[in-house]
Amino acid sequence: MIDISNLSKRFGAFAALDDVSLRITPGKLVALLGPSGSGKTTLLRILAGLDHADGGAVQLNGLDAGTLKTRDRRVGFVFQHYALFRHMSVADNVAFGLKVKKGPDKPNKAQIAETVGQLLDLVQLTGLAGRYPQQLSGGQRQRVALARALAVEPRLLLLDEPFGALDAQVRKDLRRWLRRLHDDMGLTSVFVTHDQEEALELADEVVVMNKGRVEQVGSPADIYDNPATPFVFQFLGNANRLDAVVRGGRALVGPWTADAPDIADGPAVAFVRPHDLDVVPGGDHAIIRHQVVLGPTVRLDLVLDDDITAEAIIDRESHARLNLRTGDRIGLQARRIAVFAAP
Ligand code: ADP
Ligand code: MG
């Protein structure tokens, strides 16, 4: 178990981490998700023992991490930019953590060679042991970095935007592959990303960060279906933000009303996902300003009353059936509206 309690970290007057508490269960793949500057790397570096917090504590299996030597923490680290040693072969890169071991744990040459061979098989780079980093593709280099991190049999694997610099397709492949590796090896992993799709696809648990604080922790489905704050709703993308007015537990949101049981009367803010808007024939809620075909769906760029803009996404079949044209007036039904107190 990794227990992070009330962690804070300042750089001058700036709070990079502000009272962060979090518990990481062994065996889980956890995503730290947040915009650039939200404190993800800072938190990861403190977990790795590369940096010290100003306040709070990290406990690894009940032991204060601050008292453990970096070597005894058994933490593997993979950075965004494949920080391989350029002048070392793939095999030497992977062997690095083994060669620097000291004392009775220090493996001999034959043992190192065997482990390196196994790790290269594992990351599907069999036969490339003699190559140098510049003779590899980006995806291959990142897998070497991962093999190097795994060589020390980490208790905890930390990955900081490990696929950030790679092409979309390679990224996708490596994501799935990392998920399998994590499961097969029984790792505990913490993975930093600013890409919500990556976090939702890959993680068991998503920690959404904003301005050095944890906004929400939950399963990907939880985070997507029940965003706890306006920030989470907007950061997960694909949300129409609308002004609302609450009266007696009901909110007026554009042409709709929604339950708002715990929100005080007055101005509020509401979110509707484009997928949760259905077009109803014959209604008069919006004008279609623009239509964009996106693979199996069509995005409708809409203008509601009072010049409010919104997007709806419907499937191609419904679109064809409804025979929608740019400039048409349409009715809209909102299947789900989330209302929050005005920030
Ligand atoms: P993220 O990884 O979420 O993009 P970081 O943890 O790298 O965010 O940084 C959080 C904030 O702390 C940023 O605003 C960054 O500029 C600041 N910061 C990080 N490291 C340092 C440092 N060594 N000195 C000064 N400011 C820093
Ligand atoms: Mg970062």
Side-chain angles (χ1 to χ4, degrees):
M1 190 67 79
I2 300 158
D3 278 300
I4 298 163
S5 37
N6 311 105
L7 218 53
S8 63
K9 175 75 183 175
R10 293 185 159 275
F11 293 107
F14 180 81
L17 292 179
D18 182 7
D19 198 26
V20 168
S21 295
L22 188 65
R23 175 166 254 220
I24 296 167
T25 312
K28 294 272 192 240
L29 177 46
V30 176
L32 299 182
L33 172 67
S36 176
S38 55
K40 307 179 299 290
T41 295
T42 303
L43 178 54
L44 213 66
R45 286 179 57 82
I46 292 171
L47 284 180
L50 298 170
D51 217 337
H52 289 287
D54 300 325
V58 178
Q59 288 201 327
L60 299 175
N61 297 324
L63 294 174
D64 187 349
T67 63
L68 294 173
K69 293 205 182 86
T70 308
R71 208 172 48 218
D72 298 330
R73 293 178 177 220
R74 304 234 326 261
V75 171
F77 208 117
V78 181
F79 299 91
Q80 174 170 13
H81 298 287
Y82 8 87
L84 297 178
F85 304 115
R86 288 169 50 218
H87 56 284
M88 284 188 198
S89 68
V90 165
D92 287 339
N93 265 284
V94 176
F96 184 78
L98 300 170
K99 286 182 178 165
V100 298
K101 277 193 172 181
K102 296 204 167 57
D105 283 348
K106 190 178 167 67
N108 63 34
K109 263 194 174 159
Q111 286 165 328
I112 290 177
E114 192 188 338
T115 305
V116 168
Q118 285 167 353
L119 285 164
L120 289 180
D121 291 346
L122 188 71
V123 299
Q124 296 166 347
L125 292 175
T126 311
L128 299 189
R131 292 234 188 139
Y132 283 81
Q134 65 270 27
Q135 299 171 313
L136 301 174
S137 70
Q140 288 172 330
R141 284 182 219 173
Q142 245 354 22
R143 282 184 278 151
V144 174
L146 204 49
R148 186 176 61 182
L150 293 171
V152 295
E153 296 177 49
R155 220 165 15 188
L156 177 62
L157 181 63
L158 303 175
L159 307 113
D160 194 354
E161 312 226 15
F163 311 138
L166 305 173
D167 299 346
Q169 188 55 47
V170 180
R171 259 178 104 123
K172 255 190 171 151
D173 291 345
L174 279 186
R175 248 186 236 172
R176 295 200 178 137
W177 172 84
L178 175 69
R179 178 72 239 193
R180 273 204 307 277
L181 186 82
H182 168 94
D183 291 335
D184 291 349
M185 295 190 73
L187 293 166
T188 304
S189 309
V190 181
F191 177 92
V192 163
T193 181
H194 64 268
D195 176 342
Q196 71 277 12
E197 193 187 301
E198 190 155 275
L200 295 179
E201 178 181 327
L202 195 57
D204 298 309
E205 198 158 65
V206 179
V207 178
V208 183
M209 295 188 64
N210 179 30
K211 296 183 179 160
R213 302 184 70 101
V214 172
E215 289 266 335
Q216 187 172 3
V217 182
S219 70
D222 235 16
I223 298 273
Y224 191 81
D225 292 340
N226 302 303
T229 65
F231 173 82
V232 177
F233 225 115
Q234 271 176 315
F235 189 68
L236 289 192
N238 268 343
N240 294 301
R241 184 185 191 283
L242 299 161
D243 291 329
V245 180
V246 174
R247 290 276 173 268
R250 294 286 292 173
L252 284 171
V253 184
W256 309 289
T257 57
D259 280 334
D262 303 320
I263 298 173
D265 285 1
V269 51
F271 294 90
V272 186
R273 289 226 161 81
H275 293 98
D276 289 334
L277 283 174
D278 290 330
V279 176
V280 262
D284 184 15
H285 291 140
I287 297 172
I288 302 175
R289 273 292 148 82
H290 195 57
Q291 311 193 67
V292 185
V293 175
L294 301 165
T297 61
V298 181
R299 190 186 77 218
L300 308 176
D301 295 346
L302 306 166
V303 182
L304 284 66
D305 287 347
D306 300 327
D307 278 339
I308 299 164
T309 56
E311 291 179 358
I313 293 178
I314 62 175
D315 63 79
R316 290 278 282 277
E317 276 170 34
S318 315
H319 184 259
R321 184 161 34 77
L322 292 162
N323 193 25
L324 299 175
R325 316 249 168 215
T326 302
D328 283 357
R329 289 199 145 268
I330 55 169
L332 286 169
Q333 210 158 38
R335 257 178 280 132
R336 206 182 150 95
I337 301 174
V339 185
F340 296 93

